[in-house]
Amino acid sequence: MTRIFLLCLLVFLGSCAGIPTHPEISIEPLPVDPADNLPGFVVSESDLSFPVYFDPTDKDVADAAAGDLATAYRIVAEAVGVSAAQVTWAQVAFPRDPRYQPPRHQELTRWTVPLDPDGTLGSVGKSALYQLVPHEQVHSVQRNFGRLPRWYAEGMATWAGLKATSVLAPHIEAERRAILARERRDATEPPNLMEWGGISVKPEAVLRQMTPEQRERKAADPSYSPPGPFSFTPDDFVSDESNTGARYAASLALFEAIEAEAGTEKVTAWIVEVGRLPDPKKSEDIIRLAKEVTGVDIAIMLR
């Protein structure tokens, strides 16, 4: 009886303090995949469902993070105007081995939240969990949007992702904003957001990280794109990415400028309308919709 009372009290106090609670969350183990290098489970909460993988010795860390992931995905989905149930969320893994590489035999992206050597979630892992994963899961939503200009895709991902970060880890949000502000302040050239996206990865850089089966599929179907994430060095890129930090900052500033003038609901409505544009989405159409939906002319912000 005492334990039940204390549990109820903690849930009540968490709700009063604005801390997300998940009384209806469930965790079910995934079937063992001999080709995978980590076991996993499926997290379900109402209409939301997503997979999580973990080091066998550290399942408790993944269990504890499941509720925060659910909160992040719901915040992201609401910000961009989609149903969380309709998104195929990328996988998330909690490995202890710093050399961990996701399996390449599958067709889903798997992002890593690295654990410290003692199996705890240290500063690097927390940054990945509360900032990287929400940002990248916006890109999971964008898979249903089609091809987007990079300034729009990254601005949307940074804007919506930081909304989740601000709820779950405000200090990490502040750290990320400080980094972006410094990148923009120290830039030696304008962001030129409309030109962002000319970067491309050398085909051989991806090819060397693909499985033999994926190489065969790529040879038969040149349009096939294997799931990531992949690791690249500066030599793997065709174009210069030296101004990338300033561009992330500028694209976020664009979204937040619209939000400040027109409100969050108008930004969300703009995102929904952009998703309805023919594929590929063109910058001029996105600019036009911003004016029509939010009343804000963003053309000058893209220079």
Side-chain angles (χ1 to χ4, degrees), residues 25-159:
I25 203 166
S26 66
I27 294 175
E28 297 293 335
L30 284 165
V32 175
D33 182 351
D36 207 338
N37 45 14
L38 290 179
F41 55 69
V42 174
V43 181
S44 300
E45 183 189 53
S46 184
D47 60 344
L48 175 63
S49 179
F50 55 90
V52 172
Y53 293 80
F54 53 90
D55 189 291
T57 60
D58 303 310
K59 181 178 179 295
D60 57 329
V61 179
D63 285 343
D68 285 348
L69 287 171
T71 296
Y73 298 171
R74 290 196 183 280
I75 292 172
V76 161
E78 181 179 3
V80 301
V82 302
S83 167
Q86 296 174 346
V87 180
T88 300
W89 302 100
Q91 300 172 354
V92 175
F94 293 80
R96 189 186 296 203
D97 186 348
R99 299 165 299 177
Y100 172 75
Q101 290 292 328
R104 296 296 183 197
H105 71 285
Q106 58 178 358
E107 295 304 315
L108 289 175
T109 299
R110 182 180 296 182
W111 295 101
T112 298
V113 176
L115 302 182
D116 283 357
D118 62 357
T120 60
L121 192 63
S123 59
V124 175
K126 289 177 181 177
S127 180
L129 176 62
Y130 296 123
Q131 188 270 310
L132 172 68
V133 169
H135 177 102
E136 296 301 340
Q137 293 292 25
V138 181
H139 292 311
S140 294
V141 175
Q142 291 171 351
R143 291 173 69 91
N144 295 328
F145 278 52
R147 288 164 289 179
L148 295 163
R150 187 142 181 217
W151 66 266
Y152 183 85
E154 297 299 348
M156 173 182 167
T158 306
W159 175 77

